[in-house]
mmCIF file of all heavy atoms in Angstrom:
data_model
loop_
_atom_site.group_PDB
_atom_site.id
_atom_site.type_symbol
_atom_site.label_atom_id
_atom_site.label_comp_id
_atom_site.label_asym_id
_atom_site.label_seq_id
_atom_site.Cartn_x
_atom_site.Cartn_y
_atom_site.Cartn_z
ATOM 1 N N ILE A 193 -35.959 242.662 138.756
ATOM 2 C CA ILE A 193 -34.518 242.857 138.648
ATOM 3 C C ILE A 193 -34.193 243.027 137.187
ATOM 4 O O ILE A 193 -34.466 242.149 136.378
ATOM 5 C CB ILE A 193 -33.761 241.666 139.241
ATOM 6 C CG1 ILE A 193 -34.078 241.549 140.729
ATOM 7 C CG2 ILE A 193 -32.277 241.822 139.048
ATOM 8 C CD1 ILE A 193 -33.409 240.370 141.378
ATOM 9 N N GLN A 194 -33.618 244.133 136.846
ATOM 10 C CA GLN A 194 -33.428 244.458 135.444
ATOM 11 C C GLN A 194 -32.101 243.983 134.892
ATOM 12 O O GLN A 194 -31.970 243.777 133.704
ATOM 13 C CB GLN A 194 -33.532 245.982 135.266
ATOM 14 C CG GLN A 194 -34.876 246.551 135.722
ATOM 15 C CD GLN A 194 -36.017 246.013 134.906
ATOM 16 O OE1 GLN A 194 -35.844 245.693 133.737
ATOM 17 N NE2 GLN A 194 -37.190 245.879 135.502
ATOM 18 N N ALA A 195 -31.085 243.832 135.764
ATOM 19 C CA ALA A 195 -29.750 243.516 135.239
ATOM 20 C C ALA A 195 -29.234 242.248 135.866
ATOM 21 O O ALA A 195 -29.443 241.999 137.030
ATOM 22 C CB ALA A 195 -28.784 244.667 135.538
ATOM 23 N N PRO A 196 -28.526 241.407 135.090
ATOM 24 C CA PRO A 196 -27.950 240.184 135.642
ATOM 25 C C PRO A 196 -26.686 240.487 136.415
ATOM 26 O O PRO A 196 -26.046 241.508 136.204
ATOM 27 C CB PRO A 196 -27.642 239.358 134.390
ATOM 28 C CG PRO A 196 -27.338 240.396 133.354
ATOM 29 C CD PRO A 196 -28.231 241.564 133.658
ATOM 30 N N LEU A 197 -26.332 239.541 137.276
ATOM 31 C CA LEU A 197 -25.006 239.627 137.883
ATOM 32 C C LEU A 197 -23.979 239.354 136.801
ATOM 33 O O LEU A 197 -24.164 238.470 135.971
ATOM 34 C CB LEU A 197 -24.864 238.578 138.991
ATOM 35 C CG LEU A 197 -25.658 238.860 140.276
ATOM 36 C CD1 LEU A 197 -25.501 237.676 141.209
ATOM 37 C CD2 LEU A 197 -25.180 240.119 140.946
ATOM 38 N N PRO A 198 -22.870 240.083 136.797
ATOM 39 C CA PRO A 198 -21.850 239.833 135.777
ATOM 40 C C PRO A 198 -21.231 238.473 135.965
ATOM 41 O O PRO A 198 -21.155 237.966 137.064
ATOM 42 C CB PRO A 198 -20.830 240.961 136.027
ATOM 43 C CG PRO A 198 -21.042 241.361 137.442
ATOM 44 C CD PRO A 198 -22.492 241.155 137.733
ATOM 45 N N SER A 199 -20.757 237.887 134.869
ATOM 46 C CA SER A 199 -20.149 236.567 134.942
ATOM 47 C C SER A 199 -18.777 236.652 135.578
ATOM 48 O O SER A 199 -18.171 237.702 135.670
ATOM 49 C CB SER A 199 -20.021 235.972 133.528
ATOM 50 O OG SER A 199 -19.199 236.807 132.750
ATOM 51 N N ILE A 200 -18.312 235.490 136.011
ATOM 52 C CA ILE A 200 -16.995 235.427 136.645
ATOM 53 C C ILE A 200 -15.928 235.868 135.663
ATOM 54 O O ILE A 200 -15.936 235.508 134.498
ATOM 55 C CB ILE A 200 -16.707 233.994 137.091
ATOM 56 C CG1 ILE A 200 -17.640 233.662 138.253
ATOM 57 C CG2 ILE A 200 -15.280 233.806 137.508
ATOM 58 C CD1 ILE A 200 -17.475 232.274 138.735
ATOM 59 N N GLY A 201 -15.004 236.618 136.166
ATOM 60 C CA GLY A 201 -13.921 237.066 135.320
ATOM 61 C C GLY A 201 -14.174 238.426 134.728
ATOM 62 O O GLY A 201 -13.325 238.991 134.057
ATOM 63 N N GLY A 202 -15.394 238.990 134.958
ATOM 64 C CA GLY A 202 -15.704 240.309 134.445
ATOM 65 C C GLY A 202 -14.910 241.361 135.173
ATOM 66 O O GLY A 202 -14.294 241.143 136.193
ATOM 67 N N ALA A 203 -14.943 242.595 134.640
ATOM 68 C CA ALA A 203 -14.158 243.672 135.230
ATOM 69 C C ALA A 203 -14.581 243.935 136.650
ATOM 70 O O ALA A 203 -13.760 244.157 137.527
ATOM 71 C CB ALA A 203 -14.309 244.945 134.391
ATOM 72 N N GLU A 204 -15.929 243.885 136.877
ATOM 73 C CA GLU A 204 -16.388 244.175 138.223
ATOM 74 C C GLU A 204 -15.924 243.103 139.192
ATOM 75 O O GLU A 204 -15.554 243.372 140.311
ATOM 76 C CB GLU A 204 -17.928 244.257 138.245
ATOM 77 C CG GLU A 204 -18.491 245.393 137.413
ATOM 78 C CD GLU A 204 -18.704 244.974 135.959
ATOM 79 O OE1 GLU A 204 -18.257 243.890 135.580
ATOM 80 O OE2 GLU A 204 -19.294 245.752 135.206
ATOM 81 N N ALA A 205 -15.971 241.848 138.770
ATOM 82 C CA ALA A 205 -15.645 240.753 139.687
ATOM 83 C C ALA A 205 -14.198 240.752 140.099
ATOM 84 O O ALA A 205 -13.834 240.182 141.103
ATOM 85 C CB ALA A 205 -15.993 239.416 139.018
ATOM 86 N N SER A 206 -13.337 241.381 139.320
ATOM 87 C CA SER A 206 -11.922 241.348 139.633
ATOM 88 C C SER A 206 -11.457 242.551 140.431
ATOM 89 O O SER A 206 -10.289 242.674 140.733
ATOM 90 C CB SER A 206 -11.109 241.250 138.330
ATOM 91 O OG SER A 206 -11.355 242.409 137.539
ATOM 92 N N SER A 207 -12.371 243.470 140.739
ATOM 93 C CA SER A 207 -11.957 244.642 141.493
ATOM 94 C C SER A 207 -11.635 244.269 142.918
ATOM 95 O O SER A 207 -12.265 243.390 143.485
ATOM 96 C CB SER A 207 -13.067 245.691 141.463
ATOM 97 O OG SER A 207 -14.209 245.217 142.130
ATOM 98 N N PRO A 208 -10.655 244.928 143.536
ATOM 99 C CA PRO A 208 -10.220 244.548 144.871
ATOM 100 C C PRO A 208 -11.328 244.632 145.898
ATOM 101 O O PRO A 208 -11.363 243.855 146.830
ATOM 102 C CB PRO A 208 -9.090 245.546 145.169
ATOM 103 C CG PRO A 208 -8.649 246.065 143.837
ATOM 104 C CD PRO A 208 -9.848 246.027 142.977
ATOM 105 N N GLU A 209 -12.251 245.591 145.729
ATOM 106 C CA GLU A 209 -13.277 245.776 146.746
ATOM 107 C C GLU A 209 -14.288 244.637 146.730
ATOM 108 O O GLU A 209 -14.944 244.374 147.715
ATOM 109 C CB GLU A 209 -14.031 247.101 146.529
ATOM 110 C CG GLU A 209 -13.180 248.354 146.727
ATOM 111 C CD GLU A 209 -12.280 248.611 145.527
ATOM 112 O OE1 GLU A 209 -12.508 248.011 144.457
ATOM 113 O OE2 GLU A 209 -11.333 249.395 145.654
#
Side-chain angles (χ1 to χ4, degrees):
I193 297 178
Q194 301 297 330
L197 288 175
S199 61
I200 291 178
E204 296 87 351
S206 62
S207 65
E209 294 77 15

